[in-house]
Amino acid sequence: MTDYPRIADHGLIGDLQTTALVSTDGTIDWFCTPRFDSPSVFASLLDHAKGGHFSAHPQDDTFETKQLYFPDTAILITRFLTENGVGEVVHFMPVTSGTPSGHHRLLRIMRCVRGAMTFDIEIAPRFDYGRQPHRTTVTDDGAAFVSDDTTLTIDLIRDSGDKRLGRVEPSNDGDLRFSLSLRESEMRGIVLETGGDASPRVVPVAEAQRLFEDTSHFWQNWVGQSTYVGRWREELQRSAITLKLLTYAPTGGLVAAPTAGLPEQIGGERNWDYRFTWARDSSFSVNTLVRLGFTDEAAAFGRWLRDRVVEPLGSDSGPLNIMYRIDGDPNLSEEVLADWEGYRGSYPVRVGNGAADQLQLDIYGEAMEAIFNADRAGAGIGQAGWLAICRLLEWLADHWDQPEEGIWETRGGRKDFTYGRLMCWVAFDRAIRLATAYGRPAPLSRWIAERDAIYNQIMEKGWNAERRAFVQQYGETVLDASLLKMLQVGFISPHDPIWTDTMTAIEAELVSDSLVYRYDPDASPDGLRGSEGTFSLCSFLYVDALARGDRLAEARFTFEKMLTYANHLGLYAEEIAPTGEQIGNFPQAFTHLALIDAAITLNERLDEQARKGSRRR
């Protein structure tokens, strides 16, 4: 399957309502509009023949490529080096407002830096996952692709009287192919607009440059709000920009990843749609962004979560769904794109997510942890919010002690997962703290009783004397890296012997150098065929646990090694294959959240160690 780039060979651009992936060869091979979770227009990443693409690269047969972000921005630059010249394509999307919109602009500014370069350009949209035909019209100013639901307008970036682009001609299949020849210091390009009126126009070079400057200023001003001044600042800023790109501005919802169907095993069936907002991921993001100083974003995520807690929806599995569409809609019905081959033959390609109605008890603890941290950051809880919290805890008090599907969304049936119980403990603990801190009316005696019952149950059934470790599920011996969260939430001391034994067991079975498997699917069947790589979220949780256990030299070295698995732009997919290749949906918000948390925890512990050393001297 040589027609597919590596997953890691991509950069991400976006406008806070949707995103696009751009490969190192200059191809946009993933773009959905008007939202993250809308049907694709370009998706050759999942089917190189049927998915559609927008490519721009040198006409030369041989070229070298480099990719970087314009400093402190989400503006991506792809550079091409040939014997005849050096050129670059600057890709970005001007940021939209906080109002849902079908109008989006994607700019591809082409420059010749040295010598001369001719760019070959091909625009081949495939609307609605390739299921809708389109018609193509061409004018002197550009072109338009029109389907039943979507219009793409191609505006040419050029100055008045510039005819060297010539007339753009469509091919027999309705695609566009043409060339753009530039000499040193010249700049031209293309603006792709969605939601317009199919009337192409010329965009003057000065206007394109102004859009570049405005977009650059937006991102640099946003990054400038960060209060973080510790080690690994550049890596944390790139992760923060990535999280911002994955945020749907109109609601504050955070998508787990902007892609669907990228496999956890090449050629396997573990291929899911991540373009939705998980209650878990958004909950984690609140505390992470507060720690970085991005309080507005943390508040937006908090409002999204509050709305899910307050609204009288939910399902048979509880008052909270595990995931929602980015506008809060709980309908995520799953379907298979039967005619698509999948990334490098990884079939099936799924859109929508059938795990949406699973029972995952941990989300209640993560939601309460987010509410608790948002309150500590000054967000506050109104009367309606407090009453909703009480209703949520009332349901949880009646339902926490039951089998569930667990954090990893396994499809092998409900089980008594230790992590789910752990986060139920967190839910009651944080609610108790909020009630006592503000004198709020609450059934404290019951909440305390439930919290203590969960604690005792985990110690009795979650701890396995045979394994000398906390285990994935009651009555089994399988280990699970999600239990590294025990330290973060304050359930146990990092120096408690039963915890240090658990760390020893996890290190022996799940840790491979700096990389951590989430569990062993052979030992704990999850209802799916095939295997998977190490889970980068868990690798960063491991760094955090090492740091909290004062194993700082190990934590720092492990963290530094994890940074080498990032792609050339500092981005991470969900998993790392045994070959070191990134696999799974890309980039994954959860991984970047965990990276930030691990870096901040480790930085704080290293500073504390340095202060103690200074005092001893």
Side-chain angles (χ1 to χ4, degrees):
M1 295 290 178
T2 56
D3 296 299
Y4 293 92
R6 295 186 305 172
I7 291 172
D9 287 344
H10 289 88
L12 182 73
I13 61 174
D15 64 2
L16 307 188
Q17 293 193 22
T18 189
T19 57
L21 289 184
V22 186
S23 71
T24 52
D25 70 358
T27 299
I28 295 176
D29 52 21
W30 184 256
F31 175 62
C32 301
T33 187
R35 311 189 321 184
F36 296 103
D37 55 355
S38 298
S40 63
V41 173
F42 303 126
S44 57
L45 189 58
L46 295 182
D47 193 303
H48 72 94
K50 300 175 183 176
H53 64 272
F54 180 3
S55 61
H57 55 76
Q59 198 173 76
D60 303 61
D61 292 334
T62 303
F63 57 85
E64 185 177 355
T65 182
K66 305 286 184 181
Q67 216 171 40
L68 71 156
Y69 279 111
F70 194 71
D72 296 335
T73 76
I75 298 172
L76 182 68
I77 303 172
T78 304
R79 295 176 61 92
F80 299 103
L81 290 73
T82 72
E83 290 185 358
N84 297 317
V86 175
E88 61 186 27
V89 181
V90 181
H91 325 262
F92 65 95
M93 298 181 70
V95 176
T96 59
S97 69
T99 302
S101 174
H103 182 233
H104 303 277
R105 291 172 294 175
L106 191 160
L107 276 76
R108 308 194 78 179
I109 298 175
M110 299 167 199
R111 295 170 172 161
C112 182
V113 177
R114 178 180 57 79
M117 180 166 290
T118 296
F119 291 92
D120 280 345
I121 300 161
E122 184 171 62
I123 309 173
R126 298 293 182 266
F127 295 94
D128 187 27
Y129 307 114
R131 296 178 296 198
Q132 281 191 17
H134 67 271
R135 64 182 185 275
T136 305
T137 59
V138 174
T139 73
D140 290 338
D141 299 330
F145 302 96
V146 181
S147 74
D148 290 344
D149 299 328
T150 308
T151 297
L152 296 186
T153 304
I154 304 300
D155 303 326
L156 300 180
I157 299 173
R158 67 185 187 196
D159 285 332
S160 178
D162 182 358
K163 298 298 184 183
R164 285 187 295 114
L165 273 175
R167 182 175 173 84
V168 178
E169 296 289 349
S171 61
N172 292 333
D173 53 9
D175 300 336
L176 295 182
R177 298 177 182 89
F178 57 98
S179 298
L180 170 62
S181 296
L182 299 176
R183 295 186 295 270
E184 188 169 320
S185 77
E186 289 183 329
M187 181 177 77
R188 298 294 183 267
I190 294 170
V191 180
L192 183 152
E193 292 193 68
T194 69
D197 60 2
S199 300
R201 69 181 182 93
V202 168
V203 176
V205 172
E207 180 181 341
Q209 182 65 29
R210 186 167 60 252
L211 288 170
F212 170 87
E213 292 170 356
D214 290 346
T215 304
S216 174
H217 291 156
F218 170 86
W219 285 106
Q220 290 173 346
N221 290 338
W222 182 80
V223 169
Q225 299 174 47
S226 173
T227 58
Y228 183 79
V229 293
R231 303 166 182 84
W232 309 292
R233 187 169 183 266
E234 184 174 344
E235 289 81 0
L236 267 65
Q237 285 188 344
R238 180 51 52 195
S239 288
I241 290 172
T242 303
L243 294 173
K244 181 71 169 175
L245 280 170
L246 300 182
T247 303
Y248 184 62
T251 64
L254 175 76
V255 296
T259 56
L262 293 179
E264 297 174 12
Q265 178 188 28
I266 303 300
E269 68 169 342
R270 298 167 182 266
N271 319 314
W272 316 110
D273 191 343
Y274 275 19
R275 297 172 297 157
F276 309 114
T277 300
W278 268 251
R280 179 184 302 113
D281 299 39
S282 283
S283 298
F284 284 147
S285 70
V286 172
N287 190 44
T288 300
L289 292 172
V290 165
R291 296 178 83 184
L292 281 178
F294 294 111
T295 54
D296 288 346
E297 282 66 30
F301 290 141
R303 287 191 294 271
W304 180 92
L305 185 62
R306 177 204 62 198
D307 291 343
R308 305 291 81 76
V309 171
V310 171
E311 66 190 4
L313 295 177
S315 65
D316 293 340
S317 61
L320 276 181
N321 283 10
I322 66 170
M323 69 181 94
Y324 302 80
R325 291 194 178 275
I326 52 180
D327 58 2
D329 184 349
N331 180 24
L332 282 77
S333 57
E334 183 174 293
E335 62 177 315
V336 171
L337 301 180
D339 295 334
W340 282 24
E341 69 177 22
Y343 176 79
R344 290 165 59 184
S346 302
Y347 182 86
V349 176
R350 299 180 177 92
V351 293
N353 200 308
D357 60 354
Q358 285 190 353
L359 174 64
Q360 296 180 17
L361 291 171
D362 65 282
I363 63 173
Y364 296 97
E366 286 137 2
M368 283 306 305
E369 175 83 335
I371 292 169
F372 179 76
N373 287 322
D375 177 78
R376 289 201 301 178
I381 302 170
Q383 173 67 0
W386 182 250
L387 292 177
I389 288 171
C390 290
R391 290 193 298 270
L392 187 149
L393 269 292
E394 181 181 5
W395 180 90
L396 191 62
D398 292 333
H399 293 89
W400 67 262
D401 193 11
Q402 63 173 308
E404 41 129 1
E405 273 90 1
I407 181 177
W408 305 128
E409 292 165 16
T410 59
R411 302 194 180 193
R414 294 183 176 182
K415 300 173 184 177
D416 292 305
F417 286 104
T418 305
Y419 180 79
R421 299 299 203 278
L422 168 70
M423 297 312 292
C424 288
W425 175 88
V426 170
F428 288 110
D429 180 76
R430 300 322 188 247
I432 292 165
R433 295 189 192 194
L434 287 170
T436 54
Y438 296 109
R440 297 287 182 96
L444 279 176
S445 59
R446 187 179 188 193
W447 289 0
I448 292 171
E450 300 297 340
R451 180 196 63 183
D452 294 350
I454 298 169
Y455 181 92
N456 291 329
Q457 187 187 86
I458 292 173
M459 288 299 182
E460 177 185 351
K461 297 182 178 181
W463 168 259
N464 186 289
E466 177 186 347
R467 292 303 310 270
R468 300 295 304 168
F470 289 103
V471 290
Q472 183 186 68
Q473 52 191 278
Y474 295 170
E476 300 290 341
T477 59
V478 178
L479 302 178
D480 193 319
S482 66
L483 297 177
L484 292 167
K485 288 285 290 185
M486 283 183 161
L487 292 189
Q488 279 191 358
V489 301
F491 182 84
I492 195 168
S493 164
H495 304 294
D496 190 312
I498 62 176
W499 175 253
T500 56
D501 285 350
T502 298
M503 282 287 285
T504 299
I506 288 175
E507 288 169 328
E509 186 167 306
L510 299 182
V511 178
S512 175
D513 194 31
S514 64
L515 303 173
V516 181
Y517 291 93
R518 50 183 177 175
Y519 60 94
D520 180 359
D522 292 330
S524 177
D526 54 15
L528 298 165
R529 295 188 301 273
S531 61
E532 61 178 18
T534 56
F535 212 70
S536 294
L537 158 70
C538 296
S539 300
F540 286 117
L541 283 178
Y542 176 56
V543 171
D544 190 275
L546 288 172
R548 292 176 189 272
D550 296 324
R551 296 166 58 180
L552 297 182
E554 295 171 80
R556 184 167 191 173
F557 189 39
T558 301
F559 184 76
E560 294 285 359
K561 284 190 287 188
M562 275 303 301
L563 294 181
T564 69
Y565 288 99
N567 82 341
H568 56 291
L569 298 167
L571 306 181
Y572 289 85
E574 183 178 24
E575 300 184 12
I576 305 294
T579 60
E581 179 182 4
Q582 293 203 32
I583 52 177
N585 283 304
F586 173 91
Q588 193 207 27
F590 226 164
T591 298
H592 286 276
L593 286 166
L595 183 158
I596 293 170
D597 281 340
I600 293 176
T601 298
L602 179 56
N603 185 73
E604 290 172 349
R605 296 301 193 277
L606 289 169
D607 284 350
E608 183 180 349
Q609 182 187 62
R611 287 193 296 270
K612 288 179 179 178
S614 177
R615 287 196 295 268
R616 284 196 295 269
R617 289 194 297 271

